[in-house]
Amino acid sequence: MLYLSLWAHPSKSARLVKCRTRNRYDRSAISIAAILQEMGSPTNHRAADAITVDIYPHRILVICQKDIWGHMNETEFLDGYDPNRYERPSVAVDLILASVVNGRPAALLMQRAEHPCMSAWCLPGGFVRIDESLDAAAHRVLATKVRMADAYVEQLYTFGTVDRDPRTRVISVAYFALLPPDRFAAALKAAPDLTLAEIVVPWSGETGGPVAARSQDGDALPLAFDHADMLGLAILRLRGKLDYSDVAYALLPERFTLRALQDVHETILGRSLNKPAFRRRMLATNTLVATGKRETGASFRPAELFRHHSTQE
């Protein structure tokens, strides 16, 4: 660590500084005004009798022994603070509401009715208001655009590529929820601009990357902004959490068969699983409880019904 003791009037642009390290002396010039400006000091500051500057490999620490802000208190500082001193990007929230429909991953999308990306499909979202938190904004969008008030959503990731929105600098916080298909019924009935689209994953395993979307009729749905990347990350995270979390049970009724549980896993992973090995692995978790009942309406031997018992309960 290198210690510098500096004596100078702040109005002077530069002074010689006496440096001592390992009993050797060196001389260099430091701009006091530049240091004070970087620290946020007003231009009409008073003189500091002594300033201690600690130089580290990647930063300079300045300790003033006298109030160079002219005895300004915090209230005075905040009253005079200029919020336009720094550029402020817009902040948005986008909701990734995923499900499994007909054995394939799906997500709720809405068609844009205005520029930019008019007629393209996007995740339900909106800008964060100046007086609300991120979570409050997410739940407002959930209630107003999705018509769903009681879904649990959690933050997935923050997307901040500089040119992700052609309008202006927009940082978006993506929220995620995994829901059974029947939870979307009210939204789909009330809003014709919404659809539960199939998500087409072009990569295997945990490779990651953007995905595509298509309608239930098989038509391609162009995605707006970077929402293909958002959906891709949601699938990637979902696959990663499948083995160590209870996330798959969000798509199942209270009582389910092992076949239904395996179907959910295969849909999320995008590949087939060995039936005996899967059942042994699931039963070995000690989170499945046999109900003593069997499914009804089956044309073959009815399968046993289970319920999930979380180890966290």
Side-chain angles (χ1 to χ4, degrees):
M1 184 181 298
L2 178 65
Y3 293 90
L4 296 87
S5 295
L6 180 149
W7 290 267
H9 192 288
S11 63
K12 302 296 183 180
S13 62
R15 281 293 190 185
L16 290 178
V17 180
K18 192 173 185 181
C19 309
R20 186 170 69 87
T21 177
R22 294 183 181 178
N23 298 321
R24 292 190 304 175
Y25 288 85
D26 190 10
R27 285 181 175 272
S28 61
I30 284 186
S31 172
I32 308 307
I35 292 177
L36 296 176
Q37 183 178 4
E38 189 67 23
M39 294 171 62
S41 170
T43 55
N44 60 344
H45 53 69
R46 298 183 181 180
D49 290 338
I51 303 176
T52 302
V53 183
D54 290 349
I55 297 184
Y56 297 90
H58 301 292
R59 68 184 187 275
I60 297 178
L61 176 63
V62 179
I63 303 175
C64 300
Q65 298 178 5
K66 187 175 180 180
D67 185 3
I68 62 174
W69 280 268
H71 305 285
M72 180 185 296
N73 59 38
E74 185 165 343
T75 301
E76 293 171 336
F77 169 78
L78 293 175
D79 287 342
Y81 182 76
D82 181 9
N84 296 315
R85 180 177 179 182
Y86 302 102
E87 292 184 277
R88 291 172 291 175
S90 298
V91 179
V93 293
D94 287 297
L95 306 185
I96 304 173
L97 305 176
S99 187
V100 169
V101 178
N102 299 325
R104 295 180 180 178
L108 189 70
L109 299 178
M110 63 186 306
Q111 191 169 30
R112 290 185 58 80
E114 58 185 21
H115 295 295
C117 307
M118 181 182 286
S119 300
W121 293 82
C122 66
L123 298 165
F127 288 100
V128 179
R129 294 171 179 169
I130 198 68
D131 60 347
E132 68 180 351
S133 66
L134 291 173
D135 288 354
H139 285 94
R140 173 174 54 81
V141 171
L142 189 66
T144 58
K145 293 189 176 182
V146 185
R147 296 162 180 82
M148 193 182 297
D150 56 348
Y152 172 75
V153 293
E154 60 183 10
Q155 286 189 22
L156 173 71
Y157 192 76
T158 301
F159 293 82
T161 303
V162 174
D163 58 352
R164 59 173 303 275
D165 190 312
R167 291 170 292 189
T168 185
R169 180 83 164 93
V170 179
I171 297 171
S172 179
V173 180
Y175 280 76
F176 176 77
L178 192 61
L179 304 166
D182 57 5
R183 291 293 307 275
F184 298 95
L188 294 172
K189 182 178 180 180
D193 59 335
L194 293 176
T195 186
L196 198 54
E198 177 189 345
I199 303 303
V200 182
V201 184
W203 38 268
S204 60
E206 297 187 17
T207 304
V211 297
R214 62 188 176 199
S215 69
Q216 298 302 321
D217 297 328
D219 297 326
L221 301 178
L223 292 170
F225 308 115
D226 55 354
H227 292 188
D229 295 308
M230 289 188 180
L231 287 164
L233 182 61
I235 294 294
L236 181 64
R237 291 285 180 86
L238 196 54
R239 289 181 177 182
K241 294 176 63 174
L242 203 55
D243 281 339
Y244 68 86
S245 73
D246 301 336
V247 63
Y249 298 101
L251 296 171
L252 295 169
E254 182 180 359
R255 297 177 179 180
F256 52 87
T257 65
L258 290 178
R259 175 68 252 178
L261 180 59
Q262 183 172 343
D263 287 343
V264 169
H265 278 249
E266 289 181 341
T267 298
I268 294 174
L269 294 173
R271 59 184 176 87
S272 299
L273 299 172
N274 179 272
K275 180 178 177 180
F278 176 81
R279 295 189 172 212
R280 286 195 302 270
R281 184 162 59 88
M282 290 295 102
L283 293 173
T285 63
N286 296 320
T287 60
L288 296 180
V289 180
T291 64
K293 300 183 180 298
R294 293 185 176 273
E295 63 179 339
T296 58
S299 57
F300 45 87
R301 181 184 176 185
E304 185 176 11
L305 293 172
F306 291 81
R307 65 180 178 85
H308 176 246
H309 171 73
S310 175
T311 56
Q312 300 177 354
E313 293 179 357

